[in-house]
Amino acid sequence: MFLAFLPAAAAAQELPFGPDVPLDGVTGYDPAIPTPDEIIGHRIGEAHTTPPEVWMYFRAVDAASDRVVVREHARSYEGQPLIHAVVTTPQNHARLEQIRAANVRLSAEPEAVGDDALARMPAVVYQGYSIHGNEASGTEAAVLLLYHLAAGQGPGIDEILENTVVLLDPLFNPDGRDRFTDWANRNRGTVPVTDPQDREHVEPWPGGRTNHYWFDLNRDWLPAAHPESQGRLRVFHHWRPQVLTDHHEMGSNATFFFQPGVPSRTNPNTPQRNQDLTAEIATYHARILDRIGQPYYSEESFDDFYYGKGSTYPDINGAIGILFEQASSRALLRETDNGLLDYATSVRNQFATSLSTLEAVANMREQLLRHQRDFYREAGEVARREPVKGYVIGLDRGRTRAQLLAQTLQRHRIRVHELARDVDAGGETFRAGAAYVIPTDQPQGRLVKAVMERMTTFEDSIFYDISTWTLPLAYDLDYAELRRDVGGLAGAAIDSVRLDGGGVVGGRTSVGYLMPWGRYFAPRALYRLQEAGIRAVLLTEPFSALIEGQERRFGRGVLYLSTDQRDADAATVHDLVRQVAAENHVTIYAVDSGLTPSGPDLGTRGGGGVLEQPVIALLTGSGTSAYNAGEAWHLLSDRFQIPVTLLDVDNTGWADLSRYNTLVLAGGSYNGLDVEKVKGWVRSGGALVALDSGAEWAVRNGFVELESRPFDSDSLFREVSYADLSEARGAQVVGGAIFEARLDTTHPLAFGLDETIPVFVRNRDDIFDPSAEPGTNVAVLTDDPLLSGYLAEEQADRLSGSATLVADRMGRGRVILFMDNPNFRAFWYGTNALFLNAVFLGRAF
């Protein structure tokens, strides 16, 4: 059954969406509104609609309808527009800003909004589609929904539009969809092929699920690291909807899922009322799917725990998030355990539950508005009941990282204040003017708690995603809980946090400059200097130097930039140093003399010598983890502006590896990689940086000798019944938790860091003992390492004291192994430093 567009008619069974989609209260369609096939050239369900075709149709409807205004809210990495349509009655459009302002008051001034005001307000619903680009049926449903709402006539349409403002976002991920639709449409014959092994059904690496840098954008609502997410959040917080829907696809042999998810896996910061309303909305989905004979399920598989997902993020913002999962045909027609599944049926189900959502929102409008108002009205009382009254975050050790965290918090409408006076907390002293205060008594107080707290106790032991995401730990910041009233500590609220702190201390010098290796963007500054031909010498021992006539002490890991450069005169060095200091927020010191009061002189023969500019190849392609590779690629290319060669594993057999001095294995199986060729390259002087399962590959293939710690699963599960076996195994999974690692700060790979650092561990299979080789264990988990997250007792014993970063020599080269992923989801700013040290300082030990 393909969805066909027919002329508008009075009888519902003759309407464009087929006789099996209930369209109660719809009498016809306005012929002045173009149908999708008139604009894009194919009927929905007969091909995969590309992003340009979606934009073209949305803009055509905008031009033709007084119910629709289309707005652009972001651009993807590939420059593709992210758009949303605001759909409501012409009368509501005439007072749209008034409606929006009244809606914002529910969270900004909830005490001022009475029940009588709620009775007069329309609800706002944000309907979003296909954040995973190859889960394509959602976007097709969005196109149908736009036509239905813009052209539909009759009391059913009128009631929806009068009582709601619909934010229709058809393309959460245009870059991923562009990859997928190009593949699907180009690899299809005249007759659809149902064989799941057919080329059309099997995307090449990395597939269309992810964005340009291969990130899962449905994990980025909280980190908000990417332009797509940041634009989406601007729309969300500009309108503050009562309901947000998130349309996905799942395995082809499934049926259809809608929330609620598994009840025991709901985040405890989410109020029960949220789940009650979600369950009530679910009855609308059940009703429409029953009418079209579509099997479905809820309260299984998926959960509402991680607030970084689109279906859960609204829950901590006084709204209702709803996940839909449709069994995927991927192509136009596919064999499944339940018979043939066609693309049009997938689209139909997504469209049907889009309609049921709107019906529910219109009918439950006052309940949903009241829930959001009361969610924020209760925020003060919730904060007063909590023992933690706020958090203080220091800027002294990690100024740039703290500012980046503050920017992230502000994207979520969390208030950030200056610290008004010195305070002792958590065993540290935080200085006024050099720290932030985040009170919990603020409208977003529940979200503050959710992103700042540490959790180690859970109702359930199985998680659909990670079990913790404590942001100050991810950013590796000095912070503390405040368990007293923060009124006297919170100074002025900061409107907009900007990165600063860069500059040169001292004037021009004929000697040279010192750049401590501690600020987050120090590697970017170094690369810019190296690009300009400036040689940087790594000083590896503590020393003191004269700065403006005063002795200043420096620790290990300082770069010395002599004014005696072969490719630049002293004036050029000075100007460039000032520029990179300001642009990269680093402090650089002009020295009075190369003769130091203590420690090695600046012209020392020791230390790490002149640092070689990294020339990086990142292994990609079949068998590698697109997520891990994308995280490394994004960090180096986008955030640090360093060119990276993406080298497919299948091409390494003929590739000239001598072009590179750094080879990154971010994670994967690497079965097609020539082990001996890579070993020969390392012995010749290359630095192999292997992460996660890439490190396991290196150990298995003898690059470093490490002993694995076995897991006796047979004895653990021997007495478990068949019915309980799945959950028992799931409880042993390290789904994502935060651990404390102890660093050897005398090692170059730990320069610029403290003695301990939070690391993120996820799905680790092999756990290794520290290396027996002296001086190679850069980071080892502490004896009691769990900082936050779920961990089974049996796994705690295995992880205690295990290796997490090992660095060894092989011939003239280096092998650097990270047992975990230091670049996880682009928000692990702390361990980014270890990875960047491996790239920039990895040949200096």
Side-chain angles (χ1 to χ4, degrees), residues 37-103:
D37 61 317
E38 291 173 333
I39 301 299
I40 64 179
H42 65 261
R43 293 178 174 183
I44 296 297
E46 292 182 343
H48 288 79
T49 305
T50 66
E53 291 169 339
V54 174
W55 306 322
M56 188 165 51
Y57 183 68
F58 268 60
R59 287 167 180 151
V61 173
D62 182 6
S65 173
D66 57 2
R67 300 174 179 176
V68 175
V69 173
V70 174
R71 295 171 176 167
E72 180 179 317
H73 56 266
R75 289 268 168 159
S76 71
Y77 286 110
E78 296 176 12
Q80 302 198 65
L82 287 99
I83 61 170
H84 66 279
V86 183
V87 189
T88 190
T89 64
Q91 294 77 18
N92 283 343
H93 270 295
R95 60 186 188 98
L96 198 61
E97 180 55 26
Q98 179 184 341
I99 291 173
R100 189 195 69 82
N103 201 63

Side-chain angles (χ1 to χ4, degrees), residues 224-405:
H226 304 286
E228 301 94 333
S229 306
Q230 292 172 14
R232 206 165 56 233
L233 286 175
R234 283 192 292 271
V235 175
F236 182 91
H237 288 297
H238 183 69
W239 278 99
R240 306 182 195 176
Q242 282 72 56
V243 172
L244 182 142
T245 61
D246 192 16
H247 291 257
H248 289 251
E249 291 180 356
M250 56 182 167
S252 300
N253 295 321
T255 56
F256 191 93
F257 170 85
F258 52 80
Q259 284 181 313
V262 179
S264 61
R265 300 174 197 167
T266 301
N267 195 296
N269 292 296
T270 299
Q272 181 58 41
R273 187 171 60 242
N274 169 282
Q275 294 294 287
D276 295 340
L277 288 168
T278 304
E280 186 172 346
I281 293 172
T283 64
Y284 288 81
H285 309 320
R287 199 151 49 236
I288 199 166
L289 294 176
D290 284 341
R291 291 176 67 181
I292 62 178
Q294 170 62 44
Y296 56 83
Y297 67 99
S298 65
E299 297 186 301
E300 293 179 37
S301 306
F302 303 96
D303 67 27
D304 274 318
F305 191 81
Y306 173 48
Y307 287 127
K309 298 186 300 180
S311 59
T312 310
Y313 181 77
D315 298 345
I316 198 64
N317 284 276
I320 308 298
I322 301 174
L323 170 67
F324 297 112
E325 293 275 357
Q326 161 64 40
S328 179
S329 66
R330 283 294 190 268
L332 292 187
L333 196 62
R334 184 186 181 96
E335 299 168 9
T336 77
D337 290 348
N338 299 312
L340 292 181
L341 174 62
D342 60 62
Y343 190 42
T345 297
S346 299
V347 176
R348 178 204 67 180
N349 294 343
Q350 302 274 26
F351 173 70
T353 48
S354 299
L355 295 183
S356 61
T357 298
L358 292 176
E359 182 186 8
V361 172
N363 291 343
M364 298 171 58
R365 177 180 57 84
E366 290 190 52
Q367 290 173 260
L368 295 166
L369 291 165
R370 186 177 298 108
H371 166 65
Q372 188 167 84
R373 180 202 62 186
D374 293 349
F375 180 93
Y376 286 100
R377 183 180 283 183
E378 297 161 359
E381 179 58 33
V382 170
R384 284 188 285 276
R385 291 198 303 263
E386 292 290 341
V388 177
K389 305 305 178 185
Y391 298 86
V392 58
I393 298 172
L395 279 77
D396 285 332
R397 183 171 67 86
R399 184 178 189 86
T400 302
R401 296 193 306 276
Q403 291 172 333
L404 289 166
L405 173 57

Side-chain angles (χ1 to χ4, degrees), residues 619-620 622-624 647-653 655 657 663-665 668-679 688 690 694 697-698 701 703:
L619 291 195
T620 55
S622 180
T624 67
L647 181 60
D648 277 7
V649 171
D650 292 343
N651 297 335
T652 55
L657 297 185
L663 188 62
V664 178
L665 279 63
S669 60
Y670 301 103
N671 291 331
L673 190 56
D674 186 333
V675 174
E676 293 308 315
K677 183 173 183 177
V678 175
K679 284 184 175 179
L688 178 69
W697 176 88
N701 287 282
F703 285 81

Side-chain angles (χ1 to χ4, degrees), residues 675-688 701-703 809-815:
V675 174
E676 293 308 315
K677 183 173 183 177
V678 175
K679 284 184 175 179
W681 172 84
V682 173
R683 291 189 183 103
S684 297
L688 178 69
N701 287 282
F703 285 81
R809 297 189 63 137
M810 175 182 278
R812 293 192 291 112
R814 312 292 190 276
V815 178

